[in-house]
Coordinates of all heavy atoms in Angstrom, one line a residue:
V1 N -40.9 -61.9 -13.0 CA -39.7 -61.7 -13.7 C -39.2 -60.3 -13.4 O -39.9 -59.4 -13.5 CB -39.8 -61.9 -15.3 CG1 -38.6 -61.5 -16.0 CG2 -40.3 -63.3 -15.6
S2 N -37.9 -60.2 -13.0 CA -37.3 -59.0 -12.7 C -36.1 -58.8 -13.5 O -35.3 -59.7 -13.7 CB -36.8 -59.0 -11.2 OG -37.6 -58.3 -10.4
Y3 N -36.0 -57.6 -14.1 CA -34.8 -57.3 -14.9 C -33.7 -56.8 -13.9 O -33.9 -55.9 -13.1 CB -35.1 -56.2 -15.9 CG -33.8 -55.7 -16.6 CD1 -33.3 -56.5 -17.6 CD2 -33.2 -54.5 -16.3 CE1 -32.1 -56.1 -18.3 CE2 -32.1 -54.1 -17.0 CZ -31.5 -54.9 -17.9 OH -30.4 -54.4 -18.6
V4 N -32.5 -57.4 -14.1 CA -31.4 -57.0 -13.3 C -30.3 -56.6 -14.3 O -29.8 -57.4 -15.0 CB -30.9 -58.1 -12.3 CG1 -29.7 -57.6 -11.6 CG2 -32.0 -58.5 -11.4
G5 N -30.0 -55.3 -14.3 CA -29.0 -54.9 -15.3 C -28.8 -53.4 -15.1 O -29.2 -52.8 -14.1
E6 N -28.1 -52.9 -16.1 CA -27.8 -51.4 -16.0 C -29.1 -50.6 -16.3 O -29.9 -51.0 -17.1 CB -26.8 -51.1 -17.1 CG -25.4 -51.8 -16.9 CD -24.7 -51.4 -15.7 OE1 -24.7 -50.2 -15.3 OE2 -24.2 -52.2 -15.0
P7 N -29.2 -49.5 -15.5 CA -30.4 -48.7 -15.8 C -30.2 -48.0 -17.1 O -29.1 -47.7 -17.6 CB -30.4 -47.7 -14.6 CG -29.0 -47.7 -14.1 CD -28.4 -49.1 -14.4
T8 N -31.3 -47.8 -17.8 CA -31.3 -47.2 -19.1 C -32.1 -45.9 -19.1 O -32.9 -45.7 -18.2 CB -31.9 -48.1 -20.2 OG1 -33.2 -48.4 -19.9 CG2 -31.1 -49.4 -20.3
T9 N -31.8 -45.0 -20.0 CA -32.6 -43.8 -20.1 C -33.9 -44.1 -20.8 O -33.9 -44.8 -21.8 CB -31.8 -42.8 -21.0 OG1 -30.5 -42.6 -20.5 CG2 -32.5 -41.5 -21.1
P10 N -35.0 -43.7 -20.2 CA -36.3 -44.0 -20.8 C -36.4 -43.4 -22.2 O -35.9 -42.3 -22.5 CB -37.3 -43.3 -19.9 CG -36.6 -42.7 -18.8 CD -35.1 -42.8 -19.0
L11 N -37.0 -44.1 -23.1 CA -37.2 -43.7 -24.5 C -38.3 -42.6 -24.5 O -39.3 -42.7 -23.9 CB -37.6 -44.8 -25.4 CG -36.5 -45.9 -25.5 CD1 -37.1 -47.0 -26.4 CD2 -35.3 -45.4 -26.1
T12 N -38.1 -41.6 -25.3 CA -39.1 -40.6 -25.5 C -39.5 -40.7 -27.0 O -38.7 -40.7 -27.9 CB -38.6 -39.2 -25.2 OG1 -37.4 -38.9 -25.9 CG2 -38.3 -39.0 -23.7
P13 N -40.8 -40.7 -27.2 CA -41.2 -40.8 -28.6 C -40.9 -39.5 -29.4 O -40.9 -38.4 -28.8 CB -42.8 -41.0 -28.5 CG -43.1 -40.5 -27.1 CD -41.9 -40.7 -26.3
P14 N -40.6 -39.6 -30.7 CA -40.4 -38.4 -31.4 C -41.7 -37.6 -31.5 O -42.8 -38.1 -31.5 CB -40.1 -38.9 -32.8 CG -40.2 -40.4 -32.8 CD -40.5 -40.8 -31.4
T15 N -41.5 -36.3 -31.5 CA -42.6 -35.4 -31.6 C -43.2 -35.3 -33.0 O -42.4 -35.4 -34.0 CB -42.3 -34.0 -31.1 OG1 -41.2 -33.5 -31.9 CG2 -41.8 -34.0 -29.7
V16 N -44.5 -35.2 -33.1 CA -45.1 -35.1 -34.4 C -46.0 -33.8 -34.4 O -46.8 -33.6 -33.5 CB -46.0 -36.3 -34.7 CG1 -46.8 -36.2 -36.0 CG2 -45.2 -37.6 -34.6
P17 N -45.8 -32.9 -35.3 CA -46.6 -31.7 -35.3 C -48.1 -32.0 -35.7 O -48.4 -33.1 -36.2 CB -46.0 -30.9 -36.4 CG -45.3 -31.8 -37.3 CD -44.9 -33.0 -36.5
N18 N -48.9 -31.1 -35.3 CA -50.3 -31.2 -35.7 C -50.4 -31.2 -37.2 O -50.2 -30.2 -37.9 CB -51.1 -30.0 -35.1 CG -52.6 -30.0 -35.5 OD1 -53.0 -30.8 -36.3 ND2 -53.3 -29.1 -34.9
Q19 N -50.7 -32.3 -37.8 CA -50.7 -32.4 -39.3 C -51.8 -31.6 -39.9 O -51.7 -31.2 -41.1 CB -50.8 -33.9 -39.7 CG -49.5 -34.6 -39.3 CD -49.4 -36.0 -39.8 OE1 -50.3 -36.5 -40.5 NE2 -48.4 -36.8 -39.3
K20 N -52.9 -31.4 -39.3 CA -54.0 -30.6 -39.8 C -53.6 -29.1 -40.0 O -54.0 -28.5 -40.9 CB -55.3 -30.7 -39.0 CG -55.9 -32.0 -38.9 CD -56.5 -32.4 -40.2 CE -57.2 -33.7 -40.1 NZ -57.6 -34.2 -41.4
A21 N -52.7 -28.7 -39.1 CA -52.2 -27.3 -39.2 C -50.9 -27.1 -39.9 O -50.4 -26.0 -40.1 CB -52.1 -26.7 -37.8
A22 N -50.2 -28.3 -40.3 CA -48.9 -28.2 -40.9 C -49.0 -27.7 -42.3 O -49.9 -28.0 -43.0 CB -48.3 -29.6 -40.8
S23 N -47.9 -27.1 -42.7 CA -47.8 -26.7 -44.1 C -47.4 -27.9 -45.0 O -47.0 -28.9 -44.4 CB -46.7 -25.6 -44.3 OG -45.4 -26.2 -44.0
V24 N -47.5 -27.8 -46.3 CA -47.2 -28.9 -47.1 C -45.7 -29.2 -46.9 O -45.3 -30.4 -46.9 CB -47.5 -28.5 -48.6 CG1 -46.9 -29.6 -49.6 CG2 -48.9 -28.4 -48.9
E25 N -44.9 -28.3 -46.8 CA -43.4 -28.5 -46.6 C -43.2 -29.3 -45.3 O -42.3 -30.2 -45.2 CB -42.6 -27.2 -46.6 CG -42.5 -26.5 -47.9 CD -43.8 -25.8 -48.4 OE1 -44.7 -25.6 -47.5 OE2 -43.9 -25.5 -49.6
E26 N -43.9 -28.9 -44.2 CA -43.8 -29.7 -43.0 C -44.3 -31.1 -43.1 O -43.7 -32.0 -42.5 CB -44.6 -29.0 -41.8 CG -44.0 -27.6 -41.4 CD -44.9 -26.8 -40.5 OE1 -46.1 -26.8 -40.7 OE2 -44.3 -26.2 -39.5
L27 N -45.3 -31.3 -43.9 CA -45.8 -32.7 -44.1 C -44.8 -33.5 -44.9 O -44.6 -34.6 -44.6 CB -47.2 -32.6 -44.8 CG -48.3 -32.0 -44.0 CD1 -49.6 -31.8 -44.8 CD2 -48.7 -33.0 -42.8
V28 N -44.2 -32.9 -45.9 CA -43.3 -33.6 -46.7 C -42.0 -33.9 -45.9 O -41.5 -35.0 -46.0 CB -42.9 -32.8 -48.0 CG1 -41.7 -33.4 -48.7 CG2 -44.1 -32.7 -49.0
A29 N -41.7 -33.1 -44.9 CA -40.6 -33.3 -44.0 C -40.9 -34.6 -43.2 O -39.9 -35.3 -42.8 CB -40.3 -32.1 -43.1
L30 N -42.1 -34.9 -42.9 CA -42.5 -36.1 -42.2 C -42.3 -37.3 -43.0 O -42.4 -38.4 -42.4 CB -43.9 -35.9 -41.7 CG -44.2 -34.9 -40.6 CD1 -45.7 -34.8 -40.3 CD2 -43.4 -35.3 -39.3
F31 N -42.1 -37.3 -44.2 CA -41.8 -38.5 -45.0 C -40.6 -39.2 -44.5 O -40.4 -40.4 -44.9 CB -41.6 -38.1 -46.5 CG -42.9 -37.6 -47.2 CD1 -44.1 -37.5 -46.6 CD2 -42.8 -37.3 -48.6 CE1 -45.2 -37.1 -47.3 CE2 -43.9 -36.9 -49.3 CZ -45.1 -36.7 -48.6
D32 N -39.7 -38.6 -43.8 CA -38.5 -39.2 -43.2 C -38.7 -39.6 -41.8 O -37.8 -40.0 -41.1 CB -37.3 -38.3 -43.4 CG -36.0 -39.0 -43.4 OD1 -36.0 -40.2 -43.7 OD2 -35.0 -38.4 -43.0
H33 N -39.9 -39.5 -41.2 CA -40.2 -39.9 -39.8 C -40.0 -41.4 -39.6 O -40.3 -42.2 -40.5 CB -41.6 -39.5 -39.5 CG -41.9 -39.4 -38.0 ND1 -42.2 -40.6 -37.3 CD2 -41.9 -38.4 -37.2 CE1 -42.4 -40.2 -36.0 NE2 -42.2 -38.9 -35.9
P34 N -39.4 -41.8 -38.5 CA -39.2 -43.2 -38.3 C -40.4 -44.1 -38.2 O -40.4 -45.3 -38.4 CB -38.4 -43.2 -37.0 CG -38.6 -41.9 -36.3 CD -39.0 -40.9 -37.4
N35 N -41.6 -43.4 -37.9 CA -42.8 -44.2 -37.7 C -43.6 -44.2 -39.0 O -44.0 -43.2 -39.6 CB -43.6 -43.6 -36.6 CG -44.9 -44.3 -36.3 OD1 -45.8 -44.3 -37.1 ND2 -44.9 -45.0 -35.2
M36 N -43.9 -45.4 -39.5 CA -44.6 -45.5 -40.8 C -46.0 -44.9 -40.8 O -46.4 -44.3 -41.7 CB -44.7 -47.0 -41.2 CG -45.4 -47.2 -42.5 SD -45.5 -49.0 -42.9 CE -46.4 -49.0 -44.4
E37 N -46.7 -45.0 -39.7 CA -48.0 -44.4 -39.6 C -48.0 -42.9 -39.7 O -48.8 -42.3 -40.4 CB -48.7 -44.8 -38.2 CG -50.1 -44.2 -38.1 CD -50.8 -44.6 -36.8 OE1 -50.2 -45.3 -36.0 OE2 -51.9 -44.1 -36.7
T38 N -47.0 -42.3 -39.2 CA -46.8 -40.8 -39.3 C -46.5 -40.5 -40.7 O -47.1 -39.5 -41.3 CB -45.7 -40.4 -38.4 OG1 -46.0 -40.7 -37.0 CG2 -45.4 -38.9 -38.5
R39 N -45.7 -41.3 -41.4 CA -45.4 -41.0 -42.8 C -46.7 -41.1 -43.7 O -46.9 -40.3 -44.5 CB -44.3 -41.9 -43.3 CG -43.0 -41.8 -42.7 CD -41.9 -42.5 -43.4 NE -42.1 -44.0 -43.6 CZ -41.8 -44.9 -42.7 NH1 -41.1 -44.6 -41.6 NH2 -42.0 -46.2 -43.0
M40 N -47.4 -42.2 -43.4 CA -48.6 -42.4 -44.2 C -49.7 -41.3 -43.9 O -50.4 -40.9 -44.9 CB -49.2 -43.8 -43.9 CG -48.3 -44.9 -44.3 SD -47.9 -45.0 -46.1 CE -49.5 -45.6 -46.7
R41 N -49.8 -40.9 -42.7 CA -50.8 -39.9 -42.4 C -50.4 -38.5 -43.0 O -51.2 -37.7 -43.4 CB -50.9 -39.7 -40.9 CG -51.7 -40.8 -40.3 CD -51.9 -40.6 -38.8 NE -52.5 -41.8 -38.2 CZ -53.6 -41.8 -37.5 NH1 -54.2 -40.6 -37.2 NH2 -54.1 -42.9 -37.0
A42 N -49.1 -38.3 -43.1 CA -48.6 -37.1 -43.8 C -49.1 -37.1 -45.3 O -49.6 -36.1 -45.8 CB -47.1 -36.9 -43.7
V43 N -48.9 -38.2 -45.9 CA -49.4 -38.3 -47.3 C -50.9 -38.2 -47.4 O -51.4 -37.5 -48.3 CB -48.9 -39.7 -47.9 CG1 -49.5 -39.9 -49.3 CG2 -47.4 -39.8 -48.1
D44 N -51.6 -38.9 -46.5 CA -53.0 -38.8 -46.4 C -53.5 -37.3 -46.3 O -54.4 -36.9 -47.0 CB -53.6 -39.6 -45.3 CG -53.5 -41.1 -45.5 OD1 -53.3 -41.5 -46.6 OD2 -53.7 -41.8 -44.5
E45 N -52.9 -36.5 -45.5 CA -53.2 -35.1 -45.3 C -53.0 -34.3 -46.5 O -53.8 -33.5 -46.9 CB -52.5 -34.5 -44.1 CG -52.8 -33.1 -43.8 CD -54.2 -32.9 -43.4 OE1 -54.9 -33.8 -42.8 OE2 -54.8 -31.8 -43.6
I46 N -51.9 -34.6 -47.2 CA -51.6 -33.9 -48.4 C -52.6 -34.2 -49.5 O -53.2 -33.3 -50.2 CB -50.2 -34.2 -49.0 CG1 -49.1 -33.6 -48.0 CG2 -50.0 -33.7 -50.4 CD1 -47.7 -34.0 -48.3
V47 N -53.0 -35.5 -49.6 CA -54.0 -35.9 -50.6 C -55.3 -35.4 -50.3 O -56.1 -34.9 -51.1 CB -54.0 -37.5 -50.7 CG1 -55.1 -37.9 -51.6 CG2 -52.6 -37.9 -51.3
D48 N -55.7 -35.4 -49.0 CA -57.0 -34.8 -48.6 C -57.1 -33.4 -48.9 O -58.2 -32.9 -49.3 CB -57.2 -35.0 -47.1 CG -57.5 -36.5 -46.7 OD1 -57.7 -37.3 -47.6 OD2 -57.4 -36.8 -45.5
R49 N -56.0 -32.6 -48.8 CA -56.1 -31.2 -49.2 C -56.2 -31.0 -50.7 O -56.8 -30.0 -51.1 CB -54.8 -30.5 -48.6 CG -54.8 -30.4 -47.1 CD -53.5 -29.7 -46.7 NE -53.3 -29.8 -45.3 CZ -52.3 -29.2 -44.7 NH1 -51.4 -28.5 -45.4 NH2 -52.2 -29.3 -43.4
G50 N -55.5 -31.9 -51.4 CA -55.5 -31.8 -52.9 C -54.8 -30.6 -53.3 O -54.1 -29.9 -52.5
G51 N -54.9 -30.2 -54.5 CA -54.3 -29.0 -55.0 C -52.9 -29.2 -55.5 O -52.2 -30.1 -55.1
S52 N -52.5 -28.3 -56.3 CA -51.2 -28.4 -57.0 C -50.0 -27.8 -56.1 O -48.9 -28.0 -56.5 CB -51.2 -27.6 -58.3 OG -51.5 -26.2 -58.1
T53 N -50.3 -27.2 -55.0 CA -49.3 -26.7 -54.1 C -48.4 -27.8 -53.6 O -47.2 -27.6 -53.2 CB -49.8 -25.9 -52.9 OG1 -50.7 -26.8 -52.2 CG2 -50.6 -24.7 -53.4
A54 N -48.8 -29.1 -53.6 CA -48.0 -30.2 -53.1 C -47.1 -30.8 -54.1 O -46.2 -31.5 -53.8 CB -48.9 -31.2 -52.5
F55 N -47.4 -30.5 -55.4 CA -46.6 -31.2 -56.5 C -45.1 -30.9 -56.4 O -44.3 -31.8 -56.4 CB -47.2 -30.9 -57.8 CG -48.6 -31.2 -58.1 CD1 -49.3 -30.6 -59.1 CD2 -49.3 -32.1 -57.3 CE1 -50.7 -30.9 -59.3 CE2 -50.6 -32.4 -57.5 CZ -51.3 -31.8 -58.5
A56 N -44.8 -29.7 -56.3 CA -43.3 -29.3 -56.3 C -42.6 -29.8 -55.1 O -41.5 -30.4 -55.3 CB -43.2 -27.8 -56.5
P57 N -43.1 -29.6 -53.9 CA -42.4 -30.2 -52.7 C -42.2 -31.7 -52.8 O -41.2 -32.3 -52.4 CB -43.2 -29.8 -51.5 CG -44.0 -28.6 -52.0 CD -44.2 -28.8 -53.5
M58 N -43.3 -32.4 -53.3 CA -43.2 -33.9 -53.4 C -42.2 -34.3 -54.5 O -41.4 -35.2 -54.3 CB -44.5 -34.5 -53.6 CG -45.3 -34.4 -52.3 SD -46.6 -35.7 -52.2 CE -47.7 -35.2 -53.5
R59 N -42.1 -33.5 -55.6 CA -41.1 -33.8 -56.6 C -39.7 -33.5 -56.1 O -38.8 -34.3 -56.4 CB -41.5 -33.1 -57.9 CG -42.6 -33.7 -58.6 CD -42.6 -33.4 -60.1 NE -43.6 -34.3 -60.8 CZ -44.9 -34.0 -60.9 NH1 -45.3 -32.9 -60.6 NH2 -45.7 -34.9 -61.5
D60 N -39.6 -32.5 -55.3 CA -38.3 -32.2 -54.7 C -37.8 -33.3 -53.8 O -36.6 -33.7 -53.8 CB -38.3 -30.9 -53.9 CG -38.5 -29.7 -54.8 OD1 -38.2 -29.7 -56.0 OD2 -38.8 -28.6 -54.2
A61 N -38.8 -34.0 -53.1 CA -38.5 -35.1 -52.2 C -38.0 -36.3 -53.0 O -37.3 -37.2 -52.4 CB -39.7 -35.4 -51.4
L62 N -38.3 -36.4 -54.3 CA -37.8 -37.5 -55.1 C -36.3 -37.5 -55.2 O -35.7 -38.6 -55.5 CB -38.4 -37.5 -56.5 CG -39.9 -37.7 -56.5 CD1 -40.4 -37.6 -57.9 CD2 -40.3 -39.1 -55.9
A63 N -35.6 -36.4 -54.9 CA -34.2 -36.3 -55.0 C -33.5 -36.7 -53.7 O -32.3 -36.7 -53.6 CB -33.8 -34.9 -55.4
S64 N -34.3 -37.0 -52.7 CA -33.8 -37.3 -51.3 C -32.9 -38.6 -51.4 O -33.3 -39.5 -52.1 CB -34.9 -37.5 -50.4 OG -34.4 -38.1 -49.1
P65 N -31.9 -38.7 -50.6 CA -31.1 -39.9 -50.5 C -31.9 -41.0 -49.8 O -31.5 -42.2 -49.9 CB -29.8 -39.5 -49.8 CG -30.2 -38.3 -49.0 CD -31.3 -37.6 -49.8
S66 N -32.9 -40.6 -49.0 CA -33.7 -41.6 -48.2 C -34.7 -42.3 -49.1 O -35.6 -41.7 -49.7 CB -34.4 -40.9 -47.1 OG -35.3 -41.8 -46.4
P67 N -34.6 -43.7 -49.1 CA -35.6 -44.4 -49.8 C -37.0 -44.2 -49.2 O -38.0 -44.3 -50.0 CB -35.2 -45.9 -49.8 CG -34.2 -45.9 -48.7 CD -33.6 -44.5 -48.5
L68 N -37.1 -44.0 -47.9 CA -38.4 -43.8 -47.3 C -39.1 -42.5 -47.8 O -40.3 -42.5 -48.2 CB -38.3 -43.6 -45.8 CG -37.9 -44.9 -45.0 CD1 -37.7 -44.5 -43.5 CD2 -38.9 -46.0 -45.1
V69 N -38.3 -41.5 -47.9 CA -38.8 -40.2 -48.5 C -39.3 -40.3 -49.9 O -40.3 -39.9 -50.3 CB -37.8 -39.1 -48.3 CG1 -38.2 -37.8 -49.0 CG2 -37.5 -38.8 -46.8
R70 N -38.4 -41.0 -50.7 CA -38.7 -41.1 -52.1 C -40.0 -42.0 -52.3 O -40.9 -41.7 -53.1 CB -37.6 -41.8 -52.9 CG -36.4 -40.9 -53.0 CD -35.3 -41.4 -53.9 NE -34.9 -42.8 -53.8 CZ -33.9 -43.2 -53.0 NH1 -33.2 -42.3 -52.3 NH2 -33.7 -44.5 -52.9
A71 N -40.1 -43.0 -51.5 CA -41.3 -43.9 -51.6 C -42.6 -43.2 -51.3 O -43.6 -43.3 -51.9 CB -41.2 -45.1 -50.7
Q72 N -42.5 -42.4 -50.2 CA -43.7 -41.6 -49.8 C -44.1 -40.6 -50.8 O -45.3 -40.3 -51.1 CB -43.5 -40.9 -48.4 CG -43.4 -41.9 -47.3 CD -44.6 -42.8 -47.1 OE1 -44.4 -44.0 -47.0 NE2 -45.8 -42.3 -47.1
A73 N -43.1 -39.9 -51.4 CA -43.3 -38.9 -52.4 C -44.0 -39.5 -53.7 O -44.9 -39.0 -54.2 CB -42.0 -38.2 -52.8
L74 N -43.4 -40.7 -54.1 CA -44.0 -41.4 -55.2 C -45.5 -41.8 -55.0 O -46.4 -41.6 -55.8 CB -43.2 -42.6 -55.6 CG -41.8 -42.4 -56.2 CD1 -41.0 -43.7 -56.3 CD2 -42.0 -41.8 -57.6
W75 N -45.7 -42.3 -53.8 CA -47.1 -42.7 -53.4 C -48.0 -41.5 -53.4 O -49.1 -41.6 -53.9 CB -47.0 -43.4 -52.0 CG -48.4 -43.8 -51.5 CD1 -48.9 -43.5 -50.3 CD2 -49.3 -44.7 -52.1 NE1 -50.2 -44.0 -50.2 CE2 -50.4 -44.8 -51.3 CE3 -49.4 -45.4 -53.3 CZ2 -51.6 -45.6 -51.6 CZ3 -50.5 -46.1 -53.7 CH2 -51.6 -46.2 -52.8
G76 N -47.6 -40.4 -52.8 CA -48.4 -39.2 -52.8 C -48.7 -38.7 -54.2 O -49.9 -38.3 -54.5
L77 N -47.7 -38.6 -55.1 CA -47.9 -38.2 -56.4 C -48.9 -39.1 -57.2 O -49.7 -38.7 -57.9 CB -46.6 -38.1 -57.2 CG -45.7 -36.9 -56.7 CD1 -44.3 -37.1 -57.3 CD2 -46.3 -35.6 -57.2
K78 N -48.7 -40.4 -56.9 CA -49.6 -41.4 -57.6 C -51.1 -41.2 -57.1 O -52.0 -41.2 -57.9 CB -49.2 -42.8 -57.2 CG -50.1 -43.9 -57.6 CD -50.3 -44.1 -59.1 CE -51.2 -45.2 -59.4 NZ -51.7 -45.2 -60.8
R79 N -51.3 -41.0 -55.8 CA -52.6 -40.8 -55.3 C -53.2 -39.5 -55.8 O -54.5 -39.4 -55.9 CB -52.6 -40.8 -53.7 CG -52.3 -42.2 -53.2 CD -52.4 -42.3 -51.7 NE -53.7 -41.9 -51.3 CZ -53.9 -41.5 -50.0 NH1 -52.9 -41.5 -49.1 NH2 -55.1 -41.1 -49.6
L80 N -52.4 -38.5 -56.1 CA -52.9 -37.2 -56.7 C -53.0 -37.2 -58.2 O -53.3 -36.2 -58.8 CB -52.0 -36.1 -56.2 CG -52.1 -35.7 -54.7 CD1 -50.9 -34.8 -54.4 CD2 -53.4 -35.0 -54.4
A81 N -52.8 -38.4 -58.8 CA -52.8 -38.6 -60.2 C -51.8 -37.7 -60.9 O -52.1 -37.1 -62.0 CB -54.2 -38.4 -60.8
E82 N -50.6 -37.5 -60.3 CA -49.6 -36.6 -60.8 C -48.3 -37.3 -61.1 O -47.3 -36.7 -61.5 CB -49.3 -35.4 -59.9 CG -50.2 -34.3 -60.0 CD -50.1 -33.6 -61.4 OE1 -49.0 -33.3 -61.8 OE2 -51.1 -33.5 -62.1
L83 N -48.3 -38.6 -60.9 CA -47.0 -39.4 -61.1 C -46.8 -39.5 -62.6 O -47.7 -40.0 -63.4 CB -47.1 -40.7 -60.5 CG -45.9 -41.6 -60.5 CD1 -44.8 -40.9 -59.7 CD2 -46.2 -43.0 -59.9
S84 N -45.6 -39.1 -63.1 CA -45.3 -39.2 -64.5 C -44.1 -40.2 -64.7 O -43.4 -40.5 -63.7 CB -44.9 -37.9 -65.1 OG -43.7 -37.4 -64.5
S85 N -43.8 -40.5 -65.9 CA -42.7 -41.4 -66.2 C -41.4 -40.8 -65.8 O -40.4 -41.4 -65.4 CB -42.7 -41.9 -67.6 OG -42.7 -40.8 -68.5
T86 N -41.3 -39.4 -65.9 CA -40.0 -38.8 -65.6 C -39.8 -38.8 -64.1 O -38.7 -38.8 -63.6 CB -40.0 -37.3 -66.0 OG1 -41.2 -36.6 -65.5 CG2 -40.1 -37.2 -67.6
D87 N -40.9 -38.9 -63.3 CA -40.7 -39.1 -61.8 C -40.1 -40.4 -61.4 O -39.5 -40.5 -60.4 CB -42.1 -38.9 -61.1 CG -42.7 -37.6 -61.2 OD1 -42.0 -36.6 -61.3 OD2 -43.9 -37.5 -61.3
L88 N -40.2 -41.4 -62.3 CA -39.7 -42.7 -62.0 C -38.3 -42.9 -62.5 O -37.7 -43.9 -62.2 CB -40.7 -43.8 -62.7 CG -42.1 -43.7 -62.2 CD1 -42.9 -44.7 -63.0 CD2 -42.2 -44.1 -60.7
A89 N -37.8 -42.0 -63.3 CA -36.4 -42.1 -63.8 C -35.4 -41.9 -62.8 O -35.5 -41.3 -61.8 CB -36.3 -41.1 -65.0

């Protein structure tokens, strides 16, 4: 089978920073990444690190217009046992 048609520009995958070296803010920014695995790994990294430094950036992400960002932030807060009823409002 041969494709005959207009040539296209090759797709380049989006870049992903080294999540082990990323700040919490950089990890939260990945909540809007188009790849679900990247979003999930960002939450995993935040949870693995633990600590209260992630609570405020994740709560800030709850105000995002993106449902992907809000869902990842809720999931992360739940996994850190920090999800409250006010976060769901």
Side-chain angles (χ1 to χ4, degrees):
V1 174
S2 253
Y3 174 76
V4 178
E6 298 297 318
T8 60
T9 306
L11 296 176
T12 55
T15 58
V16 178
N18 176 354
Q19 293 184 6
K20 294 288 183 193
S23 69
V24 170
E25 290 77 13
E26 290 170 321
L27 291 169
V28 170
L30 290 175
F31 290 0
D32 202 27
H33 196 276
N35 183 286
M36 182 179 176
E37 182 179 357
T38 300
R39 295 191 306 269
M40 295 301 285
R41 287 181 186 235
V43 172
D44 289 344
E45 181 62 29
I46 290 171
V47 171
D48 288 348
R49 291 180 190 182
S52 59
T53 59
F55 301 161
M58 287 203 296
R59 285 207 166 88
D60 291 344
L62 295 175
S64 171
S66 168
L68 292 176
V69 173
R70 292 191 311 269
Q72 293 304 130
L74 287 169
W75 177 237
L77 288 168
K78 170 68 176 161
R79 290 185 57 199
L80 289 167
E82 274 298 308
L83 186 62
S84 69
S85 58
T86 57
D87 294 328
L88 300 173

